[in-house]
Short mmCIF file of all heavy atoms in Angstrom, two decimals:
data_model
loop_
_atom_site.label_atom_id
_atom_site.label_comp_id
_atom_site.label_asym_id
_atom_site.label_seq_id
_atom_site.Cartn_x
_atom_site.Cartn_y
_atom_site.Cartn_z
N THR A 1 1.60 -37.40 24.15
CA THR A 1 0.52 -37.67 25.11
C THR A 1 -0.71 -36.83 24.74
O THR A 1 -0.59 -35.67 24.42
CB THR A 1 0.96 -37.27 26.53
OG1 THR A 1 1.36 -35.92 26.53
CG2 THR A 1 2.06 -38.18 27.06
N LEU A 2 -1.85 -37.47 24.81
CA LEU A 2 -3.12 -36.77 24.51
C LEU A 2 -3.78 -36.35 25.80
O LEU A 2 -3.80 -37.09 26.77
CB LEU A 2 -4.03 -37.70 23.72
CG LEU A 2 -3.55 -38.08 22.32
CD1 LEU A 2 -4.49 -39.10 21.72
CD2 LEU A 2 -3.49 -36.86 21.43
N MET A 3 -4.33 -35.15 25.77
CA MET A 3 -5.06 -34.63 26.93
C MET A 3 -6.42 -34.16 26.46
O MET A 3 -6.54 -33.66 25.36
CB MET A 3 -4.34 -33.43 27.54
CG MET A 3 -2.91 -33.67 27.92
SD MET A 3 -1.88 -32.23 27.56
CE MET A 3 -1.70 -32.34 25.80
N ILE A 4 -7.45 -34.33 27.31
CA ILE A 4 -8.74 -33.78 27.00
C ILE A 4 -8.95 -32.59 27.92
O ILE A 4 -8.86 -32.70 29.14
CB ILE A 4 -9.83 -34.85 27.13
CG1 ILE A 4 -9.66 -35.90 26.04
CG2 ILE A 4 -11.20 -34.21 27.06
CD1 ILE A 4 -10.60 -37.07 26.09
N GLU A 5 -9.21 -31.43 27.33
CA GLU A 5 -9.39 -30.23 28.10
C GLU A 5 -10.57 -29.39 27.51
O GLU A 5 -10.94 -29.60 26.35
CB GLU A 5 -8.13 -29.32 28.01
CG GLU A 5 -6.95 -29.89 28.78
CD GLU A 5 -5.71 -29.02 28.65
OE1 GLU A 5 -5.84 -27.80 28.45
OE2 GLU A 5 -4.59 -29.56 28.75
N THR A 6 -11.10 -28.50 28.36
CA THR A 6 -12.09 -27.56 27.88
C THR A 6 -11.31 -26.40 27.26
O THR A 6 -10.43 -25.83 27.90
CB THR A 6 -12.99 -27.10 29.02
OG1 THR A 6 -13.67 -28.24 29.52
CG2 THR A 6 -14.02 -26.08 28.52
N VAL A 7 -11.63 -26.06 26.04
CA VAL A 7 -10.89 -25.04 25.31
C VAL A 7 -11.82 -24.05 24.62
O VAL A 7 -13.02 -24.30 24.45
CB VAL A 7 -9.97 -25.69 24.22
CG1 VAL A 7 -8.93 -26.62 24.85
CG2 VAL A 7 -10.78 -26.43 23.18
N VAL A 8 -11.24 -22.94 24.20
CA VAL A 8 -11.92 -22.00 23.30
C VAL A 8 -11.18 -22.17 21.95
O VAL A 8 -9.98 -22.12 21.90
CB VAL A 8 -11.84 -20.56 23.79
CG1 VAL A 8 -12.43 -19.60 22.74
CG2 VAL A 8 -12.58 -20.41 25.11
N ALA A 9 -11.95 -22.36 20.89
CA ALA A 9 -11.35 -22.55 19.58
C ALA A 9 -12.05 -21.67 18.54
O ALA A 9 -13.25 -21.42 18.63
CB ALA A 9 -11.44 -24.01 19.16
N LEU A 10 -11.26 -21.21 17.58
CA LEU A 10 -11.83 -20.54 16.42
C LEU A 10 -11.93 -21.62 15.32
O LEU A 10 -10.94 -22.21 14.94
CB LEU A 10 -10.90 -19.41 15.95
CG LEU A 10 -11.33 -18.65 14.71
CD1 LEU A 10 -12.73 -18.08 14.85
CD2 LEU A 10 -10.35 -17.52 14.38
N LEU A 11 -13.17 -21.90 14.93
CA LEU A 11 -13.43 -22.93 13.94
C LEU A 11 -13.62 -22.30 12.57
O LEU A 11 -14.31 -21.28 12.45
CB LEU A 11 -14.67 -23.74 14.31
CG LEU A 11 -14.72 -24.37 15.69
CD1 LEU A 11 -16.03 -25.13 15.87
CD2 LEU A 11 -13.52 -25.29 15.92
N MET A 12 -12.99 -22.89 11.57
CA MET A 12 -13.20 -22.44 10.20
C MET A 12 -13.99 -23.51 9.47
O MET A 12 -13.59 -24.66 9.43
CB MET A 12 -11.86 -22.24 9.52
CG MET A 12 -11.96 -21.79 8.08
SD MET A 12 -10.33 -21.47 7.42
CE MET A 12 -10.26 -22.68 6.16
N PHE A 13 -15.15 -23.09 8.92
CA PHE A 13 -15.97 -24.03 8.17
C PHE A 13 -15.85 -23.71 6.69
O PHE A 13 -15.92 -22.54 6.31
CB PHE A 13 -17.46 -23.85 8.56
CG PHE A 13 -17.78 -24.29 9.96
CD1 PHE A 13 -17.58 -23.43 11.06
CD2 PHE A 13 -18.28 -25.55 10.19
CE1 PHE A 13 -17.90 -23.87 12.34
CE2 PHE A 13 -18.60 -25.98 11.47
CZ PHE A 13 -18.40 -25.14 12.57
N VAL A 14 -15.69 -24.72 5.87
CA VAL A 14 -15.70 -24.57 4.42
C VAL A 14 -16.87 -25.43 3.93
O VAL A 14 -16.89 -26.64 4.19
CB VAL A 14 -14.39 -24.98 3.76
CG1 VAL A 14 -14.49 -24.80 2.24
CG2 VAL A 14 -13.23 -24.15 4.31
N ASN A 15 -17.83 -24.79 3.30
CA ASN A 15 -19.06 -25.47 2.86
C ASN A 15 -19.71 -26.27 4.00
O ASN A 15 -20.11 -27.45 3.80
CB ASN A 15 -18.77 -26.38 1.65
CG ASN A 15 -18.34 -25.59 0.45
OD1 ASN A 15 -18.88 -24.52 0.17
ND2 ASN A 15 -17.36 -26.09 -0.28
N GLY A 16 -19.75 -25.69 5.20
CA GLY A 16 -20.40 -26.31 6.32
C GLY A 16 -19.61 -27.39 7.06
O GLY A 16 -20.12 -27.99 7.98
N GLU A 17 -18.38 -27.63 6.64
CA GLU A 17 -17.56 -28.67 7.24
C GLU A 17 -16.38 -28.04 7.95
O GLU A 17 -15.73 -27.14 7.42
CB GLU A 17 -17.04 -29.53 6.09
CG GLU A 17 -16.63 -30.95 6.48
CD GLU A 17 -16.22 -31.74 5.24
OE1 GLU A 17 -17.09 -31.98 4.39
OE2 GLU A 17 -15.05 -32.09 5.14
N ILE A 18 -16.06 -28.52 9.18
CA ILE A 18 -14.90 -27.94 9.90
C ILE A 18 -13.62 -28.29 9.19
O ILE A 18 -13.30 -29.47 9.00
CB ILE A 18 -14.87 -28.45 11.36
CG1 ILE A 18 -16.11 -28.00 12.13
CG2 ILE A 18 -13.60 -27.92 12.07
CD1 ILE A 18 -16.21 -28.58 13.53
N LYS A 19 -12.87 -27.29 8.80
CA LYS A 19 -11.60 -27.49 8.11
C LYS A 19 -10.42 -27.23 9.03
O LYS A 19 -9.35 -27.76 8.86
CB LYS A 19 -11.49 -26.59 6.88
CG LYS A 19 -12.31 -27.06 5.72
CD LYS A 19 -11.74 -28.37 5.12
CE LYS A 19 -12.69 -28.93 4.07
NZ LYS A 19 -12.54 -30.33 3.90
N GLU A 20 -10.62 -26.29 9.99
CA GLU A 20 -9.55 -25.94 10.88
C GLU A 20 -10.09 -25.54 12.22
O GLU A 20 -11.15 -24.93 12.33
CB GLU A 20 -8.79 -24.75 10.24
CG GLU A 20 -7.42 -24.53 10.83
CD GLU A 20 -6.63 -23.46 10.12
OE1 GLU A 20 -6.87 -23.19 8.93
OE2 GLU A 20 -5.78 -22.83 10.79
N ALA A 21 -9.34 -25.87 13.28
CA ALA A 21 -9.72 -25.48 14.64
C ALA A 21 -8.44 -24.98 15.34
O ALA A 21 -7.50 -25.73 15.48
CB ALA A 21 -10.28 -26.68 15.38
N ARG A 22 -8.47 -23.70 15.68
CA ARG A 22 -7.28 -23.11 16.33
C ARG A 22 -7.57 -22.77 17.78
O ARG A 22 -8.56 -22.12 18.10
CB ARG A 22 -6.91 -21.80 15.61
CG ARG A 22 -6.39 -22.07 14.23
CD ARG A 22 -5.14 -21.28 14.00
NE ARG A 22 -4.48 -21.71 12.79
CZ ARG A 22 -3.96 -20.88 11.93
NH1 ARG A 22 -4.04 -19.58 12.11
NH2 ARG A 22 -3.37 -21.31 10.85
N LEU A 23 -6.67 -23.19 18.66
CA LEU A 23 -6.78 -22.85 20.09
C LEU A 23 -6.72 -21.37 20.28
O LEU A 23 -5.89 -20.69 19.66
CB LEU A 23 -5.66 -23.50 20.88
CG LEU A 23 -5.81 -24.95 21.28
CD1 LEU A 23 -4.55 -25.44 21.95
CD2 LEU A 23 -7.00 -25.13 22.18
N GLN A 24 -7.56 -20.84 21.19
CA GLN A 24 -7.58 -19.42 21.50
C GLN A 24 -7.43 -19.24 23.00
O GLN A 24 -7.95 -20.03 23.77
CB GLN A 24 -8.91 -18.79 21.05
CG GLN A 24 -9.20 -18.96 19.55
CD GLN A 24 -8.27 -18.13 18.69
OE1 GLN A 24 -8.13 -16.95 18.86
NE2 GLN A 24 -7.60 -18.81 17.76
N PRO A 25 -6.72 -18.17 23.42
CA PRO A 25 -6.51 -17.98 24.86
C PRO A 25 -7.80 -17.59 25.61
O PRO A 25 -7.97 -17.88 26.79
CB PRO A 25 -5.49 -16.86 24.95
CG PRO A 25 -5.48 -16.20 23.60
CD PRO A 25 -5.97 -17.23 22.62
N SER A 26 -8.76 -16.92 24.91
CA SER A 26 -10.01 -16.52 25.54
C SER A 26 -11.05 -16.30 24.48
O SER A 26 -10.75 -16.15 23.30
CB SER A 26 -9.82 -15.23 26.34
OG SER A 26 -9.61 -14.17 25.46
N MET A 27 -12.32 -16.21 24.92
CA MET A 27 -13.42 -15.97 23.98
C MET A 27 -13.27 -14.58 23.36
O MET A 27 -13.54 -14.42 22.16
CB MET A 27 -14.76 -16.10 24.74
CG MET A 27 -15.97 -16.11 23.83
SD MET A 27 -15.96 -17.35 22.49
CE MET A 27 -16.57 -18.80 23.33
N ALA A 28 -12.82 -13.59 24.13
CA ALA A 28 -12.63 -12.23 23.57
C ALA A 28 -11.63 -12.21 22.43
O ALA A 28 -11.85 -11.62 21.41
CB ALA A 28 -12.22 -11.27 24.69
N VAL A 29 -10.51 -12.90 22.64
CA VAL A 29 -9.48 -12.98 21.59
C VAL A 29 -10.03 -13.72 20.37
O VAL A 29 -9.79 -13.31 19.23
CB VAL A 29 -8.21 -13.70 22.12
CG1 VAL A 29 -7.22 -13.97 21.04
CG2 VAL A 29 -7.56 -12.87 23.23
N CYS A 30 -10.81 -14.77 20.64
CA CYS A 30 -11.42 -15.53 19.55
C CYS A 30 -12.34 -14.68 18.71
O CYS A 30 -12.28 -14.67 17.47
CB CYS A 30 -12.17 -16.74 20.11
SG CYS A 30 -12.74 -17.83 18.81
N LEU A 31 -13.22 -13.91 19.38
CA LEU A 31 -14.16 -13.10 18.67
C LEU A 31 -13.47 -12.01 17.84
O LEU A 31 -13.90 -11.70 16.73
CB LEU A 31 -15.19 -12.45 19.65
CG LEU A 31 -16.12 -13.48 20.28
CD1 LEU A 31 -16.89 -12.85 21.44
CD2 LEU A 31 -17.10 -14.04 19.25
N ARG A 32 -12.37 -11.47 18.35
CA ARG A 32 -11.58 -10.51 17.60
C ARG A 32 -10.99 -11.15 16.35
O ARG A 32 -11.04 -10.59 15.28
CB ARG A 32 -10.46 -9.93 18.51
CG ARG A 32 -9.82 -8.69 17.95
CD ARG A 32 -8.82 -8.06 18.92
NE ARG A 32 -9.33 -7.95 20.27
CZ ARG A 32 -8.68 -8.43 21.35
NH1 ARG A 32 -7.49 -8.99 21.24
NH2 ARG A 32 -9.20 -8.29 22.55
N GLY A 33 -10.46 -12.36 16.54
CA GLY A 33 -9.89 -13.11 15.40
C GLY A 33 -10.94 -13.43 14.37
O GLY A 33 -10.70 -13.36 13.14
N LYS A 34 -12.15 -13.78 14.81
CA LYS A 34 -13.27 -14.08 13.93
C LYS A 34 -13.62 -12.86 13.10
O LYS A 34 -13.79 -12.96 11.88
CB LYS A 34 -14.48 -14.53 14.76
CG LYS A 34 -15.73 -14.82 13.99
CD LYS A 34 -16.85 -15.24 14.95
CE LYS A 34 -18.11 -15.63 14.22
NZ LYS A 34 -18.92 -14.51 13.79
N ARG A 35 -13.72 -11.71 13.75
CA ARG A 35 -14.04 -10.47 13.06
C ARG A 35 -12.99 -10.16 11.96
O ARG A 35 -13.34 -9.79 10.85
CB ARG A 35 -14.09 -9.28 14.01
CG ARG A 35 -15.49 -8.96 14.51
CD ARG A 35 -15.61 -7.55 15.09
NE ARG A 35 -14.54 -7.18 16.00
CZ ARG A 35 -14.48 -7.52 17.26
NH1 ARG A 35 -15.40 -8.25 17.82
NH2 ARG A 35 -13.46 -7.12 18.02
N GLU A 36 -11.72 -10.32 12.34
CA GLU A 36 -10.64 -10.06 11.37
C GLU A 36 -10.71 -11.05 10.23
O GLU A 36 -10.56 -10.66 9.04
CB GLU A 36 -9.27 -10.14 12.07
CG GLU A 36 -8.99 -8.92 12.91
CD GLU A 36 -7.74 -9.06 13.79
OE1 GLU A 36 -6.91 -9.95 13.52
OE2 GLU A 36 -7.64 -8.27 14.75
N ALA A 37 -10.94 -12.32 10.50
CA ALA A 37 -11.00 -13.34 9.45
C ALA A 37 -12.16 -13.09 8.53
O ALA A 37 -12.04 -13.30 7.29
CB ALA A 37 -11.11 -14.71 10.09
N GLU A 38 -13.28 -12.58 9.06
CA GLU A 38 -14.46 -12.36 8.22
C GLU A 38 -14.31 -11.15 7.29
O GLU A 38 -15.13 -10.96 6.39
CB GLU A 38 -15.68 -12.22 9.11
CG GLU A 38 -16.15 -13.56 9.63
CD GLU A 38 -17.30 -13.46 10.62
OE1 GLU A 38 -17.51 -12.39 11.22
OE2 GLU A 38 -17.96 -14.50 10.82
N ARG A 39 -13.30 -10.33 7.52
CA ARG A 39 -13.08 -9.19 6.61
C ARG A 39 -12.69 -9.71 5.22
O ARG A 39 -12.96 -9.02 4.22
CB ARG A 39 -11.96 -8.30 7.12
CG ARG A 39 -12.42 -7.48 8.31
CD ARG A 39 -11.40 -6.45 8.70
NE ARG A 39 -11.75 -5.90 10.00
CZ ARG A 39 -10.88 -5.69 10.99
NH1 ARG A 39 -9.63 -5.97 10.83
NH2 ARG A 39 -11.30 -5.21 12.12
N THR A 40 -12.03 -10.87 5.18
CA THR A 40 -11.75 -11.48 3.88
C THR A 40 -12.95 -12.35 3.54
O THR A 40 -13.03 -13.49 3.94
CB THR A 40 -10.47 -12.37 3.99
OG1 THR A 40 -9.47 -11.65 4.68
CG2 THR A 40 -9.95 -12.77 2.63
N PHE A 41 -13.89 -11.77 2.82
CA PHE A 41 -15.14 -12.44 2.59
C PHE A 41 -15.02 -13.56 1.55
O PHE A 41 -14.41 -13.41 0.54
CB PHE A 41 -16.21 -11.46 2.12
CG PHE A 41 -17.52 -12.13 1.83
CD1 PHE A 41 -18.34 -12.54 2.84
CD2 PHE A 41 -17.90 -12.36 0.51
CE1 PHE A 41 -19.56 -13.16 2.54
CE2 PHE A 41 -19.08 -13.02 0.19
CZ PHE A 41 -19.94 -13.41 1.23
N SER A 42 -15.58 -14.69 1.92
CA SER A 42 -15.70 -15.79 0.98
C SER A 42 -17.06 -16.48 1.26
O SER A 42 -17.39 -16.74 2.41
CB SER A 42 -14.58 -16.78 1.19
OG SER A 42 -14.85 -17.97 0.51
N GLU A 43 -17.81 -16.71 0.21
CA GLU A 43 -19.14 -17.28 0.36
C GLU A 43 -19.15 -18.64 1.04
O GLU A 43 -20.03 -18.95 1.83
CB GLU A 43 -19.79 -17.38 -1.00
CG GLU A 43 -21.21 -16.87 -1.01
CD GLU A 43 -21.75 -16.77 -2.42
OE1 GLU A 43 -22.20 -17.82 -2.93
OE2 GLU A 43 -21.69 -15.68 -2.98
N SER A 44 -18.14 -19.46 0.76
CA SER A 44 -18.16 -20.82 1.26
C SER A 44 -17.48 -20.98 2.63
O SER A 44 -17.54 -22.05 3.23
CB SER A 44 -17.47 -21.75 0.26
OG SER A 44 -16.12 -21.33 0.08
N VAL A 45 -16.84 -19.90 3.12
CA VAL A 45 -16.09 -19.98 4.38
C VAL A 45 -16.78 -19.19 5.47
O VAL A 45 -17.12 -18.03 5.30
CB VAL A 45 -14.64 -19.45 4.19
CG1 VAL A 45 -13.85 -19.54 5.52
CG2 VAL A 45 -13.89 -20.24 3.12
N THR A 46 -17.00 -19.83 6.63
CA THR A 46 -17.55 -19.14 7.79
C THR A 46 -16.68 -19.48 9.01
O THR A 46 -15.98 -20.48 9.02
CB THR A 46 -19.00 -19.53 8.09
OG1 THR A 46 -19.10 -20.96 8.24
CG2 THR A 46 -19.97 -19.08 7.00
N TYR A 47 -16.79 -18.64 10.03
CA TYR A 47 -16.00 -18.84 11.25
C TYR A 47 -16.92 -18.82 12.46
O TYR A 47 -17.93 -18.17 12.47
CB TYR A 47 -14.97 -17.69 11.41
CG TYR A 47 -13.98 -17.64 10.29
CD1 TYR A 47 -14.19 -16.92 9.13
CD2 TYR A 47 -12.78 -18.35 10.40
CE1 TYR A 47 -13.27 -16.90 8.10
CE2 TYR A 47 -11.84 -18.35 9.35
CZ TYR A 47 -12.10 -17.61 8.24
OH TYR A 47 -11.19 -17.59 7.21
N LYS A 48 -16.54 -19.59 13.47
CA LYS A 48 -17.32 -19.65 14.69
C LYS A 48 -16.38 -19.78 15.89
O LYS A 48 -15.42 -20.53 15.83
CB LYS A 48 -18.21 -20.90 14.63
CG LYS A 48 -19.63 -20.68 15.06
CD LYS A 48 -20.48 -21.89 14.88
CE LYS A 48 -21.69 -21.50 14.06
NZ LYS A 48 -22.27 -22.53 13.27
N CYS A 49 -16.69 -19.07 16.96
CA CYS A 49 -15.96 -19.28 18.21
C CYS A 49 -16.73 -20.32 19.00
O CYS A 49 -17.95 -20.26 19.07
CB CYS A 49 -15.84 -17.96 18.98
SG CYS A 49 -14.68 -16.83 18.21
N TRP A 50 -16.00 -21.25 19.55
CA TRP A 50 -16.63 -22.38 20.20
C TRP A 50 -15.88 -22.71 21.49
O TRP A 50 -14.67 -22.66 21.53
CB TRP A 50 -16.57 -23.57 19.22
CG TRP A 50 -17.04 -24.88 19.76
CD1 TRP A 50 -18.36 -25.31 19.81
CD2 TRP A 50 -16.24 -25.94 20.26
NE1 TRP A 50 -18.39 -26.58 20.33
CE2 TRP A 50 -17.10 -26.98 20.63
CE3 TRP A 50 -14.87 -26.10 20.47
CZ2 TRP A 50 -16.68 -28.17 21.17
CZ3 TRP A 50 -14.43 -27.30 21.01
CH2 TRP A 50 -15.32 -28.31 21.37
N LYS A 51 -16.67 -23.02 22.52
CA LYS A 51 -16.06 -23.47 23.78
C LYS A 51 -16.56 -24.84 24.08
O LYS A 51 -17.78 -25.12 24.05
CB LYS A 51 -16.45 -22.52 24.91
CG LYS A 51 -15.74 -22.86 26.20
CD LYS A 51 -16.03 -21.88 27.31
CE LYS A 51 -15.22 -22.27 28.55
NZ LYS A 51 -15.34 -21.29 29.60
N GLY A 52 -15.62 -25.76 24.35
CA GLY A 52 -16.03 -27.13 24.63
C GLY A 52 -14.80 -28.00 24.83
O GLY A 52 -13.70 -27.50 25.00
N LYS A 53 -15.03 -29.30 24.85
CA LYS A 53 -13.91 -30.23 25.10
C LYS A 53 -13.24 -30.61 23.78
O LYS A 53 -13.88 -30.78 22.75
CB LYS A 53 -14.45 -31.49 25.80
CG LYS A 53 -14.76 -31.24 27.24
CD LYS A 53 -15.03 -32.58 27.94
CE LYS A 53 -14.99 -32.49 29.43
NZ LYS A 53 -15.96 -31.64 30.06
N ALA A 54 -11.92 -30.75 23.90
CA ALA A 54 -11.14 -31.20 22.74
C ALA A 54 -9.97 -32.04 23.20
O ALA A 54 -9.51 -31.92 24.32
CB ALA A 54 -10.63 -29.99 21.97
N GLU A 55 -9.56 -32.92 22.30
CA GLU A 55 -8.38 -33.72 22.55
C GLU A 55 -7.19 -32.92 22.00
O GLU A 55 -7.20 -32.51 20.86
CB GLU A 55 -8.57 -35.05 21.77
CG GLU A 55 -7.64 -36.16 22.23
CD GLU A 55 -7.99 -37.44 21.49
OE1 GLU A 55 -8.99 -38.10 21.84
OE2 GLU A 55 -7.25 -37.78 20.55
N LEU A 56 -6.22 -32.68 22.87
CA LEU A 56 -5.07 -31.86 22.49
C LEU A 56 -3.82 -32.72 22.33
O LEU A 56 -3.70 -33.74 22.98
CB LEU A 56 -4.84 -30.78 23.57
CG LEU A 56 -5.97 -29.86 23.89
CD1 LEU A 56 -5.55 -28.86 24.95
CD2 LEU A 56 -6.47 -29.14 22.67
N GLU A 57 -2.92 -32.24 21.51
CA GLU A 57 -1.62 -32.89 21.42
C GLU A 57 -0.55 -31.85 21.50
O GLU A 57 -0.75 -30.69 21.18
CB GLU A 57 -1.50 -33.74 20.15
CG GLU A 57 -1.62 -32.95 18.88
CD GLU A 57 -1.62 -33.86 17.65
OE1 GLU A 57 -1.29 -35.05 17.77
OE2 GLU A 57 -1.91 -33.34 16.56
N ASN A 58 0.62 -32.26 22.03
CA ASN A 58 1.74 -31.37 22.15
C ASN A 58 2.51 -31.31 20.83
O ASN A 58 2.75 -32.33 20.21
CB ASN A 58 2.70 -31.84 23.25
CG ASN A 58 2.10 -31.65 24.63
OD1 ASN A 58 1.54 -30.60 24.92
ND2 ASN A 58 2.20 -32.66 25.47
N ASN A 59 2.87 -30.10 20.44
CA ASN A 59 3.69 -29.90 19.25
C ASN A 59 5.16 -29.95 19.63
O ASN A 59 5.51 -29.83 20.79
CB ASN A 59 3.34 -28.57 18.57
CG ASN A 59 1.88 -28.54 18.13
OD1 ASN A 59 1.36 -29.52 17.66
ND2 ASN A 59 1.26 -27.36 18.26
N ILE A 60 6.00 -30.07 18.66
CA ILE A 60 7.46 -30.16 18.86
C ILE A 60 7.94 -28.89 19.61
O ILE A 60 8.81 -28.97 20.46
CB ILE A 60 8.20 -30.34 17.53
CG1 ILE A 60 7.87 -31.75 16.99
CG2 ILE A 60 9.71 -30.13 17.70
CD1 ILE A 60 8.27 -31.96 15.57
N ASP A 61 7.37 -27.73 19.28
CA ASP A 61 7.82 -26.49 19.89
C ASP A 61 7.23 -26.22 21.29
O ASP A 61 7.41 -25.15 21.87
CB ASP A 61 7.53 -25.28 18.97
CG ASP A 61 6.02 -25.07 18.75
OD1 ASP A 61 5.21 -25.80 19.33
OD2 ASP A 61 5.65 -24.14 17.99
N GLY A 62 6.49 -27.20 21.83
CA GLY A 62 5.95 -27.05 23.18
C GLY A 62 4.55 -26.48 23.21
O GLY A 62 3.91 -26.46 24.25
N SER A 63 4.05 -26.01 22.06
CA SER A 63 2.67 -25.47 22.04
C SER A 63 1.73 -26.67 21.91
O SER A 63 2.14 -27.81 21.76
CB SER A 63 2.51 -24.53 20.85
OG SER A 63 2.64 -25.25 19.62
N LYS A 64 0.42 -26.39 22.02
CA LYS A 64 -0.57 -27.43 21.93
C LYS A 64 -1.46 -27.14 20.69
O LYS A 64 -1.66 -26.01 20.32
CB LYS A 64 -1.47 -27.44 23.17
CG LYS A 64 -0.77 -27.92 24.39
CD LYS A 64 -1.68 -27.86 25.61
CE LYS A 64 -0.96 -28.27 26.86
NZ LYS A 64 -1.81 -28.11 28.04
N SER A 65 -1.97 -28.21 20.12
CA SER A 65 -2.94 -28.03 19.04
C SER A 65 -4.09 -29.03 19.24
O SER A 65 -3.98 -30.00 19.94
CB SER A 65 -2.30 -28.22 17.67
OG SER A 65 -1.73 -29.53 17.58
N ILE A 66 -5.20 -28.70 18.59
CA ILE A 66 -6.39 -29.54 18.69
C ILE A 66 -6.27 -30.69 17.75
O ILE A 66 -6.07 -30.52 16.55
CB ILE A 66 -7.67 -28.71 18.38
CG1 ILE A 66 -7.85 -27.60 19.43
CG2 ILE A 66 -8.89 -29.60 18.32
CD1 ILE A 66 -8.93 -26.61 19.13
N LYS A 67 -6.37 -31.89 18.31
CA LYS A 67 -6.35 -33.10 17.46
C LYS A 67 -7.79 -33.44 17.08
O LYS A 67 -8.05 -33.79 15.96
CB LYS A 67 -5.68 -34.23 18.22
CG LYS A 67 -5.50 -35.47 17.43
CD LYS A 67 -4.61 -36.47 18.16
CE LYS A 67 -4.54 -37.82 17.47
NZ LYS A 67 -3.94 -37.79 16.16
N LYS A 68 -8.68 -33.35 18.06
CA LYS A 68 -10.06 -33.75 17.79
C LYS A 68 -11.01 -32.97 18.70
O LYS A 68 -10.73 -32.80 19.90
CB LYS A 68 -10.18 -35.26 18.11
CG LYS A 68 -11.48 -35.87 17.68
CD LYS A 68 -11.42 -37.37 17.67
CE LYS A 68 -11.33 -37.98 19.04
NZ LYS A 68 -11.26 -39.43 19.07
N ILE A 69 -12.12 -32.52 18.13
CA ILE A 69 -13.15 -31.82 18.89
C ILE A 69 -14.10 -32.87 19.43
O ILE A 69 -14.46 -33.81 18.71
CB ILE A 69 -13.86 -30.78 18.01
CG1 ILE A 69 -12.93 -29.59 17.81
CG2 ILE A 69 -15.21 -30.37 18.61
CD1 ILE A 69 -13.48 -28.55 16.87
N ILE A 70 -14.53 -32.72 20.67
CA ILE A 70 -15.44 -33.68 21.28
C ILE A 70 -16.80 -32.99 21.46
O ILE A 70 -16.92 -32.08 22.29
CB ILE A 70 -14.89 -34.21 22.61
CG1 ILE A 70 -13.55 -34.90 22.37
CG2 ILE A 70 -15.90 -35.14 23.30
CD1 ILE A 70 -12.74 -35.15 23.62
N LEU A 71 -17.79 -33.36 20.67
CA LEU A 71 -19.12 -32.83 20.79
C LEU A 71 -19.92 -33.73 21.70
O LEU A 71 -19.97 -34.92 21.54
CB LEU A 71 -19.79 -32.74 19.41
CG LEU A 71 -19.05 -31.86 18.41
CD1 LEU A 71 -19.70 -31.97 17.04
CD2 LEU A 71 -19.02 -30.40 18.85
N GLU A 72 -20.53 -33.11 22.72
CA GLU A 72 -21.27 -33.90 23.71
C GLU A 72 -22.74 -33.77 23.53
O GLU A 72 -23.23 -32.74 23.08
CB GLU A 72 -20.88 -33.47 25.14
CG GLU A 72 -19.39 -33.76 25.38
CD GLU A 72 -18.98 -33.32 26.77
OE1 GLU A 72 -19.43 -32.26 27.22
OE2 GLU A 72 -18.19 -34.02 27.37
#
């Protein structure tokens, strides 16, 4: 089942394109994760914390993941 919810996500951009979007419990946790991720410097990779709507799907283990980001 797909659900649309407002979420906080840590987005990973490679050459300006979103490659990965991970659900985060809060903006504070996201910003901490972003700082940690940026310690491994790569010119083509950037990270952004983002709050907005996303289409979520349930994983086999009961967790949720982002299927699609909805930009309004």
Side-chain angles (χ1 to χ4, degrees):
T1 56
L2 294 174
M3 304 142 284
I4 293 176
E5 289 179 28
T6 299
V7 298
V8 174
L10 178 56
L11 305 180
M12 178 175 118
F13 291 85
V14 179
N15 295 320
E17 203 176 295
I18 297 173
K19 284 292 173 204
E20 197 175 333
R22 291 228 169 136
L23 277 175
Q24 302 292 306
S26 69
M27 191 54 83
V29 172
C30 187
L31 291 168
R32 194 174 315 128
K34 176 181 184 281
R35 264 198 316 278
E36 284 170 19
E38 284 173 341
R39 287 189 193 136
T40 314
F41 178 75
S42 166
E43 225 170 82
S44 60
V45 180
T46 55
Y47 297 90
K48 224 176 234 152
C49 287
W50 175 83
K51 185 177 183 173
K53 285 191 164 61
E55 199 174 281
L56 304 180
E57 61 185 348
N58 289 315
N59 298 322
I60 292 168
D61 65 1
S63 65
K64 290 178 184 175
S65 60
I66 296 173
K67 184 169 173 65
K68 189 165 71 180
I69 284 175
I70 300 166
L71 299 173
E72 296 179 321

